[in-house]
Amino acid sequence: MTKPATPPIRRAMVLAAGLGQRMRPITDTLPKPLVRIGGRAMLDHMLDRLADAGVEDAVVNVHHLAGQVEAHLAARQWPRITISDERAELLETGGGVKKALPLFGTTPFFHTNSDALWRETGRPALPAMARSWDPERMDILLLLADLETSLGFDGAGDFFRGADGRLTRRGSAARAPWVYAGVAILKPGLFADTPDGPFSLNLLFDRAIAQGRLFGEVLEGRWLHVGTPDAIAPAEAALAAQPVDA
């Protein structure tokens, strides 16, 4: 018997409320999501990818220099944008979703950082995640980048990935081969037993790991970590680079 097709992912939460402190002094007057890379705001890079993947509705949270983000988004036609206002309190990666949860219904959704940026060299990442999503086995699916090829990232890696795609933390290991690239697919029900106010999405990652239900999809491309002003020019060069012939 053929397994029914998984419904497409039509909604997304895009995090655009952060302070961008490492990007100062640029972010003293410009919110990090609106920093331009290759002629476009990083927020537009992400929203365009979501639209191309079939996302119809995106919730964007705002806090730091919120008016600039709202004004910028007013010019967009697609996906449809709803603002989640966090001016009163910055709610972090998990709390921001919980505040906006009534907008998502009961279906899984993309959860993305507004500054997640990459150059694809193979299959488009977000449609690949949607195709791999299996709610019977998974509570969360993360986009993973190769630590060794990522640009501008100086960490030691986040996860190990099993042959079946299941993830475990780096823990006490010196290095792990995979980095969380700032995109996930989540089930709304995961937030039922979570704190009120600010909390990190890592709480849900760890719960999913404990149940063997955190999985990873590998990015076919190069992840570009734009954390400081010095990272802008290398990221632009990487986006503009011509493919290398096989």
Side-chain angles (χ1 to χ4, degrees):
M1 181 177 178
T2 303
K3 179 182 173 182
T6 302
I9 309 294
R10 298 300 191 198
R11 293 184 173 91
M13 175 86 188
V14 182
L15 303 182
L19 301 176
Q21 291 178 331
R22 293 182 63 216
M23 191 63 81
R24 295 181 66 188
I26 294 173
T27 48
D28 288 340
T29 56
L30 182 72
K32 186 181 178 184
L34 301 189
V35 172
R36 299 174 77 84
I37 306 292
R40 287 191 298 160
M42 285 195 281
L43 178 56
D44 286 325
H45 281 282
M46 176 50 66
L47 290 170
D48 289 347
R49 288 195 188 279
L50 289 168
D52 289 345
V55 169
E56 298 171 353
D57 296 282
V59 178
V60 180
N61 67 349
V62 296
H63 174 84
H64 178 57
L65 301 174
Q68 290 188 43
V69 179
E70 290 176 318
H72 181 85
L73 291 173
R76 286 198 63 99
Q77 299 297 314
W78 200 255
R80 292 182 292 265
I81 304 293
T82 301
I83 297 294
S84 181
D85 193 331
E86 295 182 21
R87 285 175 173 87
E89 182 180 26
L90 188 58
L91 294 171
E92 300 185 29
T93 54
V97 177
K98 188 167 184 177
K99 174 181 170 66
L101 209 58
L103 300 169
F104 291 107
T106 60
T107 58
F109 58 93
F110 281 110
H111 177 286
T112 79
N113 295 338
S114 59
D115 60 354
L117 188 68
W118 61 88
R119 178 174 178 271
E120 291 173 345
T121 57
R123 58 185 179 170
L126 301 189
M129 290 182 72
R131 287 192 297 270
S132 295
W133 174 248
D134 182 353
E136 294 183 3
R137 294 191 304 142
M138 304 172 182
D139 284 340
I140 303 173
L141 178 65
L142 306 183
L143 183 65
L144 301 178
D146 184 341
L147 174 65
E148 299 302 324
T149 63
S150 294
L151 180 71
F153 183 72
D154 57 5
D158 299 317
F159 295 104
F160 294 97
R161 182 176 185 268
D164 60 356
R166 283 186 172 87
L167 302 183
T168 55
R169 292 278 192 186
R170 174 169 58 88
S172 61
R175 293 174 73 80
W178 303 109
V179 180
Y180 173 50
V183 180
I185 296 176
L186 304 173
K187 292 178 176 177
L190 298 173
F191 293 85
D193 182 22
T194 54
D196 293 327
F199 70 91
S200 170
L201 205 62
N202 280 301
L203 171 66
L204 299 185
F205 292 177
D206 288 337
R207 289 179 178 179
I209 288 172
Q211 297 175 13
R213 296 182 63 85
L214 183 71
F215 285 73
E217 178 77 17
V218 173
L219 169 68
E220 292 187 2
R222 190 180 193 190
W223 186 52
L224 312 175
H225 183 249
V226 187
T228 66
D230 290 343
I232 294 174
E236 290 185 322
L239 282 178
Q242 294 298 314
V244 177
D245 292 336

